[in-house]
Amino acid sequence: MMAAFAGTAAFLAWVSMPWLGRAVAIPLNMAIATGSLMLILDGTLRFRGLIPPGRLRWMTPVAVMVAAVQVHTNLDQDWLRIVLNDVLNSLILSAMIASLLHRARRDERIIHLMIAVATALMIAVYLIRVDVALATPRGQFRAPGDPAHAYVFFVSLIFILSWTFGMLLMVNLKVQRALADMADRDPLTGIGNRRMLDRLAGRHLPRSGTALVLIDLDGFKRVNDDHGHKQGDQALCWIADMLKASVRPGETVIRMGGDEFALFVEEAGDATALGQRVHRLAARINIALARDRHQMPLPRRISTGYAIAPDDGQTLTDLCAAADRRMYDDKHAARPAGAVAVRDR
């Protein structure tokens, strides 16, 4: 928005030349135009998450001052003023294209490409004007009288419209993505929910090596009963954080509901490798539970069960059933001898 206002101010300065005078209108126009491009570059980099907020803001006033001094110094040498200004602006525009195309998501590429094409067209017109300024005898090149300036203003309009339309599309896309992400997230822990698990299963099953790990909290009911639901929620968040810190690429942590969690594994290898992975995961979390239990109410341990496709089934329902059986085998094996065999919830 600031860049749009700056661009409008630059245009008004240009058309107001008869009233402002050449010595004021031209430096004002060209300096503000360069500043507006810097604002767009800064906004693009922040919008793409490539730099933290405020990292390049100091560059905008510096660019405006450099442009103003350059234009004022070369006010009577139209060819040199245009060459220096257009080369600077072309460099800024090139940085915009690079920031747009750098690691663009698949659903963003068409929008980014549209804006990049309009930006490249703007660069081409700037370079054409530079070529005209260098090719025309120095005393005969006049701005704004040369026809090359008309092309710059016309393409500038296309450039501004493309960026405005493209940014509206990008904002809409990000809002839709954020809403979809909220629907796939557990509101308490921030990890995936059952809806995300169903979506992952639909994408990867029944591919061989896809696996599901179920994780249940032994003694969680006592945390709620003895310390209240607020402490229970904190215990669930602790478990979720531990699982998130333990996952590898291609693994997604899910909260199935209540005190039951899951780990969806896209490429688990074979059943032996998966079993070893689950054993190490459970050992790590159970050691952390024993270590931190004196600091906050936590479950006694976690029980785990796993299933892998296609050995244990080819659908999510089949994998859940197989993993559930193994999880309760693990739960019962850890129960002290003589303890009543009930579901520990």
Side-chain angles (χ1 to χ4, degrees):
M1 289 181 66
M2 292 174 63
F5 283 124
T8 303
F11 177 76
L12 291 175
W14 188 263
V15 298
S16 301
M17 191 181 304
W19 300 278
L20 294 175
R22 177 183 172 90
V24 175
I26 292 180
L28 195 61
N29 165 265
M30 304 186 83
I32 295 177
T34 298
S36 67
L37 294 182
M38 281 300 304
L39 287 172
I40 295 175
L41 174 60
D42 177 65
T44 303
L45 290 169
R46 288 189 287 114
F47 192 77
R48 294 290 325 281
L50 299 177
I51 62 169
R55 175 65 61 85
L56 281 184
R57 287 183 181 173
W58 63 272
M59 290 289 290
T60 299
V62 170
V64 169
M65 288 189 291
V66 169
V69 170
Q70 183 275 127
V71 172
H72 188 269
T73 303
N74 301 302
L75 190 62
D76 296 327
Q77 301 183 72
D78 287 358
W79 71 274
L80 182 57
R81 168 170 54 82
I82 291 297
V83 167
L84 294 176
N85 179 81
D86 289 6
V87 168
L88 174 60
N89 289 348
S90 296
L91 291 174
I92 298 173
L93 292 168
S94 298
M96 289 184 200
I97 294 177
S99 66
L100 282 171
L101 301 182
H102 178 69
R103 295 181 180 178
R105 294 169 57 112
R106 182 176 301 177
D107 55 352
E108 298 175 349
R109 288 174 186 168
I110 295 179
I111 302 174
H112 287 183
L113 187 60
M114 177 195 72
I115 303 174
V117 168
T119 306
L121 183 61
M122 193 72 211
I123 294 174
V125 173
Y126 273 137
L127 296 180
I128 289 173
R129 189 164 69 169
V130 168
D131 182 67
V132 170
L134 292 174
T136 304
R138 302 294 182 254
Q140 297 180 20
F141 184 81
R142 288 288 182 268
D146 192 276
H149 301 291
Y151 300 138
V152 171
F153 279 114
F154 176 72
V155 175
S156 296
L157 179 61
I158 298 176
F159 170 76
I160 293 171
L161 290 176
S162 298
W163 272 91
T164 302
F165 183 61
M167 286 300 102
L168 289 174
L169 291 177
M170 282 300 303
V171 169
N172 181 63
L173 182 63
K174 284 186 175 290
V175 169
Q176 291 181 356
R177 191 184 299 151
L179 291 175
D181 186 66
M182 289 174 60
D184 285 347
R185 297 285 171 182
D186 173 58
L188 174 63
T189 60
I191 62 176
N193 57 18
R194 183 58 188 259
R195 184 177 183 271
M196 179 181 286
L197 178 62
D198 291 339
R199 184 166 56 80
L200 290 171
R203 184 187 305 167
H204 296 283
L205 288 174
R207 189 173 65 199
S208 178
T210 301
L212 179 71
V213 181
L214 292 183
I215 302 158
D216 192 66
L217 311 186
D218 298 349
F220 179 74
K221 185 176 185 298
R222 178 166 293 178
V223 174
N224 270 337
D225 291 345
D226 293 349
H227 302 280
H229 288 284
K230 182 177 181 180
Q231 292 293 331
D233 288 347
Q234 291 180 359
L236 292 174
C237 291
W238 186 96
I239 293 290
D241 290 340
M242 284 294 300
L243 290 172
K244 285 190 293 185
S246 303
V247 296
R248 303 170 178 174
E251 299 178 349
T252 305
V253 183
I254 302 292
R255 184 185 177 197
M256 301 287 284
D259 63 338
E260 190 170 17
F261 293 79
L263 191 65
F264 187 86
V265 185
E266 298 173 15
E267 295 287 348
D270 55 24
T272 301
L274 177 63
Q276 294 173 349
R277 164 77 174 127
V278 172
H279 176 74
R280 289 193 297 268
L281 175 68
R284 177 182 177 182
I285 294 180
N286 283 331
I287 290 173
L289 283 170
R291 180 194 66 209
D292 293 348
R293 192 175 296 117
H294 68 281
Q295 299 176 2
M296 61 181 294
L298 289 171
R300 186 176 70 255
R301 68 184 295 273
I302 65 168
S303 296
T304 58
Y306 62 88
I308 188 169
D311 298 352
D312 296 309
Q314 299 187 358
T315 67
L316 180 60
T317 300
D318 294 338
L319 295 184
C320 282
D324 196 63
R325 288 193 298 270
R326 289 194 176 104
M327 182 178 70
Y328 278 96
D329 287 342
D330 180 42
K331 187 185 293 288
H332 295 156
R335 182 173 289 115
V340 178
V342 296
R343 289 173 70 99
D344 193 0
R345 294 284 184 177

